[in-house]
Amino acid sequence: MNIIDFKDNVFLLSTKETSYLFRVDKYGHLEHIHYGPKVRMEDWDALSLKHKILFGSTVMYHERDDIMTLDSVAQEYGSYGQGDFKEASIEIEGNGSYTCDFRYVSHEIVEGNVPVKDLPSSYGAAQTLIVHTADDINGLKLDLYYSVYPEEDVISRRAVLINGSRKTFTLHRLMSYCLDLFEKDLVMMDFSGAWDKETHLNEKELKQGTYTIGSRVGFSSAKCNPGFLIRRKDTTEDHGKAWGFNLVYSGNHYSSVSKDEYSIHRIQGGISPERFHSELKAGQSFETPEAILTFSDRGLNHLSHHFHDFINEHIVRSDWKKKERPVLINSWEGFGFDFKKDDLIRKLARNAVSLGMELFVLDDGWFGRRNSDKRGLGDYNCNIRKIPGGISSLSSEIHKLGLLFGIWVEPEAINVDSKLYENHPEYALWEKDRPPFYGRNELLMDLTNPEVRDYIVDNVSRLIDDNKVDYIKWDMNRMMNAVSGEYNHEYLKGLYDVLGRLFLPRPWVLFESCSSGGNRFDLGMLCYSPQIWSSDDTDPIERIDIQKGLSYLYPLSTMGAHVSQSPHMQTLRATPLETRFNVSAYGCLGYELDLSLLSRLERIEVAKQIAFYKQHRHTFQYGRFYRGDQDEYETFEVKDDETMITKFRRIVHAVPVYDKLYLHDLDDEKVYRIESKPYLHNLKQFGHLINFVSPVKLNSEGKIVDTLSKIKGMEASIQTYEASGAALKSGIYLNNLFLGTGYNDNVRIPLDYGSDMYEVKEIQ
Ligand code: GLA
């Protein structure tokens, strides 16, 4: 298979299952023809939009051509001023004019990638096509880059603008890509939310008009992830056409889908043009971040698999690429700022070892005067009152216990109440002729200042190297009210410089990025941090939506997911320990609670959970993930040589209907054994009903039940089934759920927020 072909002015980019086709028209414009299932190069004419008659009131491109108007041409990159009235991908102003008319000059095809200057980007492409275009009148040159990843069915795009004139221009917008798609009945799926409520699926049917998503909080944001999908109305998880888009960028972003009167959908994305104005002097150039595009005609699950494979193979770096991630214990939800070394060792680390955990993470509160979030950020001196002997002694004790050692930092921010601020108030970022605006009591640091970047690199390097740190949790806890879009971009370049200097030379360090949870879950950060803390919300019921939303765009190996104490500090909801594990297992598992408060029974359950997770870890982190959409329950399924599938319930209704288990991607002819994962129900959940099975009458609120519930639970019914792959794909019925008419060992107990995980193995 040729990856990039060029013949008779037509370009064909090929991946395993997709074709991307465009051509140079008779005027030199790049006309988009097709992005979808595989087609032949010779199909270009049949596939392209026809221009046999002029549309009313449009502007003709050429005075002797009364048919051709750029307004109804699908284009590779839209600009304003020559008859195309769709939203432009470039806005640049020189001498009061915004008009641009880029036409083909030449092209080159190179092996592999051409890295983006000063920004992270993907690696390992098969080939890259660079199409050089130019506007002969204003002297601007525009290069369009297409990198092809045949195995993952991904094409990445980006643009580089070069000022080839002698004048200075002001650049207001330069999108990474533009895709003019002609399809009927499209729906846009974006992933929006807030702190504690990230990546909730948000669907909009597209009518004539413009739909935009974006961020103006300085970072990719919990309000709206930069990744989004477009699907046909009838597309489901397992059938139909869908397109996926994302950006390798962590700053203010913008994407729009506009449907015009001809039903051309112009899709584009890149750095947010809001308040963006960059001076482009003679000879200077501007490079956009890279955008990632993918297509599938086999449903949304398959589309997500393209993203997952692409990220695991071409975005994530370091020794942790494709490596199983350790089960961690994090101090934050259990202890907050209030701990002593003794608590960390006795209550957390020793228990963690005996429960089978592998990595100890000391979260916020270990440095300076940081006993609350009001002070200390910017300082790196260990608080000796909390940790006598300092971080190196803690790290060595943790290592002696056989655990890896990890630590929290928030290097981009500064508290006014800190030693650093006393010495270097100029490092803090705010408009000095206005009062400062705080977020979580902190200011950001000016990462455009090389001295600030050196300060961070020096201190974090020392922290890692002097204390044999194996893992870093890099947090960033506020939004940025940047003076301009341009400043935001320069800040991001500064951040990437810092991350590159710190982590590329230390590939053994497991770097987990965090931003009040998922305020910066994006491909830019994933180029440095193999995993990201998905959300500060650890309530598993909320997490189902958050992790499901993330799964459309990102693989399970990138999602930090922790079991925490119930009732949950974010929702006050009480949830079963089993469900907390069952959600967190679909990601990089951790625990975030005071382990010394676990009851004897909970300890046994947690130890079993961890052993189970480790046994199936490769499947949970790197298996093929499927979202189910066949019944009222949320289903997470992950498949490697084995399948782990879980059905999650929210609110139980009386007389629950029959429910089925549907599996994906099995061999029709083979026979499989399905076994439910054993677990215990907490006796207290049954209240006074316990007396229906107890030989003696018990007070459900009394001491005996209380004590009993800490050492004994009720075994969930163990279910086993056998079925062929064909039967499992069409769906097998599960045992009945409890109906209120009685109970026996074969009946499943539903419970609000309950869940059941099944292990599916081929029978030899
Ligand atoms: C943020 C993070 C949390 C925790 C706290 C510590 O909120 O998202 O996980 O690290 O900061 O202050």
Side-chain angles (χ1 to χ4, degrees):
M1 172 179 84
N2 282 350
I3 293 161
I4 298 174
D5 271 336
F6 180 71
K7 205 170 112 199
D8 298 334
N9 279 338
V10 178
F11 290 99
L12 172 64
L13 279 49
S14 302
T15 70
K16 234 168 44 188
E17 295 176 7
T18 71
S19 296
Y20 190 110
L21 209 58
F22 65 102
R23 71 167 188 133
V24 184
D25 77 2
K26 66 177 172 187
Y27 297 107
H29 297 121
L30 301 179
E31 178 182 351
H32 178 76
I33 295 171
H34 169 85
Y35 184 33
K38 281 204 99 84
V39 292
R40 303 174 317 154
M41 194 167 214
E42 298 71 28
D43 294 328
W44 76 265
D45 192 25
L47 285 167
S48 56
L49 287 177
K50 305 297 181 284
H51 309 287
K52 307 290 183 195
I53 192 163
L54 188 66
F55 289 90
S57 77
T58 50
V59 171
M60 291 179 300
Y61 181 68
H62 195 279
E63 56 188 333
R64 282 192 296 281
D65 185 341
D66 61 4
I67 287 182
M68 167 66 169
T69 170
L70 284 173
D71 205 32
S72 62
V73 174
Q75 296 186 62
E76 280 301 297
Y77 205 82
S79 62
Y80 176 80
Q82 10 56 10
D84 178 3
F85 291 93
K86 297 187 283 300
E87 189 177 321
S89 310
I90 174 169
E91 263 177 37
I92 185 160
E93 192 250 310
N95 286 345
S97 164
Y98 283 84
T99 301
C100 286
D101 187 14
F102 292 103
R103 293 189 290 168
Y104 175 84
V105 175
S106 63
H107 71 270
E108 49 187 309
I109 297 170
V110 300
E111 298 303 309
N113 296 78
V114 182
V116 187
K117 198 166 146 259
D118 299 331
L119 297 176
S121 51
S122 62
Y123 61 98
Q127 287 184 334
T128 298
L129 164 69
I130 308 158
V131 185
H132 304 287
T133 69
D135 181 328
D136 298 336
I137 307 226
N138 62 16
L140 293 172
K141 295 175 185 173
L142 180 72
D143 289 347
L144 300 182
Y145 285 69
Y146 302 77
S147 295
V148 185
Y149 297 85
E151 283 305 307
E152 294 79 16
D153 287 305
V154 161
I155 289 171
S156 85
R157 289 194 53 183
R158 64 190 183 92
V160 178
L161 182 70
I162 306 125
N163 183 356
S165 79
R166 297 222 191 106
K167 293 175 297 205
T168 297
F169 286 82
T170 308
L171 179 65
H172 295 285
R173 146 192 312 232
L174 192 70
M175 292 288 105
S176 296
Y177 69 99
C178 161
L179 180 72
D180 281 354
L181 203 63
F182 188 87
E183 282 278 340
K184 274 181 67 183
D185 297 333
L186 294 183
V187 173
M188 180 176 187
M189 301 168 68
D190 67 69
F191 302 93
S192 39
W195 169 75
D196 246 11
K197 195 176 178 249
E198 296 86 343
T199 48
H200 280 51
L201 173 60
N202 185 14
E203 297 193 286
K204 311 174 245 256
E205 204 175 307
L206 300 176
K207 307 263 185 208
Q208 189 173 336
T210 300
Y211 301 76
T212 66
I213 60 165
S215 165
R216 52 176 74 97
V217 309
F219 304 105
S220 48
S221 101
K223 287 176 191 272
C224 190
N225 198 276
F228 67 100
L229 315 179
I230 300 286
R231 66 167 171 86
R232 289 282 305 262
K233 216 154 114 186
D234 54 4
T235 295
T236 63
E237 289 291 358
D238 298 319
H239 302 281
K241 284 184 176 179
W243 293 259
F245 306 86
N246 208 341
L247 291 173
V248 188
Y249 194 57
S250 316
N252 284 340
H253 57 90
Y254 170 88
S255 298
S256 68
V257 183
S258 5
K259 180 176 182 175
D260 72 3
E261 62 274 39
Y262 317 112
S263 279
I264 297 176
H265 297 79
R266 173 160 289 177
I267 305 168
Q268 51 184 328
I271 296 174
S272 171
E274 279 187 27
R275 292 174 287 280
F276 191 90
H277 52 92
S278 179
E279 293 273 280
L280 206 64
K281 298 207 172 78
Q284 284 185 334
S285 60
F286 187 91
E287 305 207 8
T288 70
E290 187 184 25
I292 307 302
L293 281 65
T294 185
F295 166 80
S296 166
D297 55 3
R298 292 160 56 196
L300 299 166
N301 274 321
H302 193 60
L303 188 84
S304 298
H305 298 159
H306 294 169
F307 276 137
H308 296 177
D309 292 349
F310 174 76
I311 292 167
N312 279 327
E313 193 61 51
H314 301 290
I315 290 286
V316 169
R317 279 116 164 135
S318 93
D319 295 353
W320 291 93
K321 173 176 177 173
K322 296 201 188 152
K323 191 167 157 187
E324 291 182 20
R325 310 289 160 72
V327 178
L328 67 82
I329 175 70
N330 176 298
S331 65
W332 179 247
E333 281 204 28
F335 290 91
F337 296 102
D338 185 16
F339 57 81
K340 289 265 161 39
K341 181 177 171 190
D342 189 47
D343 299 322
L344 302 176
I345 297 290
R346 211 166 34 80
K347 297 186 176 166
L348 280 189
R350 290 211 183 114
N351 281 319
V353 174
S354 65
L355 294 169
M357 297 172 194
E358 299 157 311
L359 163 64
F360 170 92
V361 181
L362 172 57
D363 210 283
D364 198 355
W366 58 267
F367 52 88
R369 294 187 297 260
R370 194 149 170 94
N371 295 318
S372 77
D373 60 19
K374 291 198 171 56
R375 52 186 66 90
L377 284 178
D379 298 340
Y380 288 85
N381 58 311
C382 177
N383 182 331
I384 302 294
R385 280 213 206 125
K386 289 185 185 175
I387 308 177
I391 295 301
S392 64
S393 83
L394 177 65
S395 162
S396 96
E397 279 188 54
I398 296 291
H399 283 138
K400 272 192 210 131
L401 287 170
L403 296 168
L404 296 169
F405 177 70
I407 195 161
W408 179 98
V409 287
E410 190 177 346
E412 294 161 71
I414 183 167
N415 287 125
V416 169
D417 188 347
S418 67
K419 281 261 170 301
L420 179 64
Y421 190 86
E422 271 170 36
N423 297 331
H424 288 287
E426 77 282 7
Y427 284 6
L429 174 63
W430 93 82
E431 284 176 78
K432 300 284 161 26
D433 53 353
R434 294 179 186 277
F437 297 110
Y438 295 96
R440 209 193 182 203
N441 304 305
E442 65 197 42
L443 296 169
L444 284 168
M445 296 227 273
D446 180 7
L447 263 63
T448 64
N449 175 351
E451 205 181 300
V452 172
R453 299 204 293 270
D454 289 347
Y455 175 82
I456 297 174
V457 172
D458 289 350
N459 281 285
V460 180
S461 302
R462 220 173 298 124
L463 178 70
I464 296 175
D465 300 341
D466 293 355
N467 302 297
K468 300 197 170 59
V469 169
D470 305 295
Y471 160 109
I472 285 281
K473 178 173 172 190
W474 181 295
D475 210 342
M476 202 292 300
N477 279 308
R478 59 160 293 170
M479 298 174 186
M480 180 198 296
N481 42 333
V483 287
S484 67
E486 159 76 350
Y487 178 86
N488 178 243
H489 183 57
E490 291 304 311
Y491 178 101
L492 262 293
K493 286 185 353 197
L495 171 65
Y496 293 137
D497 169 58
V498 166
L499 296 180
R501 281 160 66 191
L502 276 167
F503 293 104
L504 298 182
R506 296 177 179 81
W508 60 88
V509 175
L510 177 55
F511 167 18
E512 178 157 357
S513 155
C514 170
S515 178
S516 304
N519 198 37
R520 206 161 56 180
F521 204 122
D522 61 63
L523 297 176
M525 292 310 288
L526 285 173
C527 286
Y528 304 94
S529 70
Q531 61 191 58
I532 300 180
W533 179 225
S534 312
S535 175
D536 276 354
D537 196 338
T538 50
D539 172 331
I541 303 308
E542 296 295 303
R543 270 298 182 114
I544 293 173
D545 292 324
I546 296 169
Q547 290 176 211
K548 179 181 170 180
L550 281 174
S551 80
Y552 283 95
L553 306 167
Y554 306 99
L556 302 189
S557 55
T558 60
M559 299 177 201
H562 298 177
V563 172
S564 66
Q565 194 68 261
S566 160
H568 297 281
M569 55 158 67
Q570 303 81 8
T571 55
L572 302 180
R573 179 173 20 226
T575 62
L577 179 57
E578 179 66 7
T579 298
R580 285 179 258 158
F581 169 76
N582 285 352
V583 177
S584 303
Y586 291 89
C588 301
L589 177 69
Y591 287 75
E592 191 164 330
L593 69 174
D594 181 349
L595 296 174
S596 69
L597 300 180
L598 292 176
S599 70
R600 209 171 100 195
L601 200 64
E602 285 174 326
R603 285 181 64 89
I604 295 171
E605 287 293 283
V606 168
K608 280 200 273 181
Q609 291 176 345
I610 293 172
F612 181 86
Y613 182 79
K614 285 183 181 164
Q615 193 188 341
H616 304 286
R617 171 164 33 197
H618 197 267
T619 306
F620 281 124
Q621 294 180 358
Y622 293 100
R624 273 264 167 271
F625 182 70
Y626 294 90
R627 296 167 298 269
D629 63 357
Q630 304 248 30
D631 63 24
E632 62 181 294
Y633 299 115
E634 208 67 73
T635 307
F636 284 1
E637 176 187 353
V638 66
K639 181 180 184 300
D640 202 351
D641 296 336
E642 56 186 4
T643 297
M644 315 303 297
I645 179 164
T646 304
K647 290 182 77 119
F648 297 101
R649 284 175 291 273
R650 297 189 201 230
I651 302 298
V652 170
H653 299 292
V655 196
V657 293
Y658 281 104
D659 63 324
K660 279 184 163 185
L661 199 66
Y662 296 89
L663 279 110
H664 289 86
D665 198 16
L666 298 177
D667 191 330
D668 283 356
E669 308 296 323
K670 288 193 173 145
V671 177
Y672 298 84
R673 183 180 166 79
I674 303 101
E675 204 169 291
S676 63
K677 175 177 166 300
Y679 66 97
L680 299 174
H681 290 296
N682 184 338
L683 290 180
K684 290 199 89 174
Q685 269 164 336
F686 300 99
H688 69 95
L689 297 173
I690 199 169
N691 286 314
F692 281 99
V693 288
S694 165
V696 289
K697 199 137 184 83
L698 295 168
N699 172 4
S700 60
E701 300 297 322
K703 258 210 143 42
I704 300 183
V705 174
D706 200 46
T707 312
L708 198 65
S709 71
K710 292 193 173 117
I711 50 175
K712 211 172 158 41
M714 174 182 164
E715 277 174 24
S717 87
I718 301 284
Q719 310 149 62
T720 51
Y721 311 86
E722 255 181 46
S724 67
L728 282 164
K729 274 154 62 181
S730 105
I732 60 160
Y733 281 109
L734 294 169
N735 283 3
N736 296 86
L737 285 160
F738 178 78
L739 288 168
T741 52
Y743 177 73
N744 64 56
D745 284 355
N746 292 318
V747 172
R748 294 183 292 142
I749 292 188
L751 293 181
D752 284 353
Y753 317 126
S755 58
D756 289 295
M757 188 184 282
Y758 300 87
E759 190 177 335
V760 182
K761 285 212 155 98
E762 191 187 314
I763 296 177
Q764 296 302 329

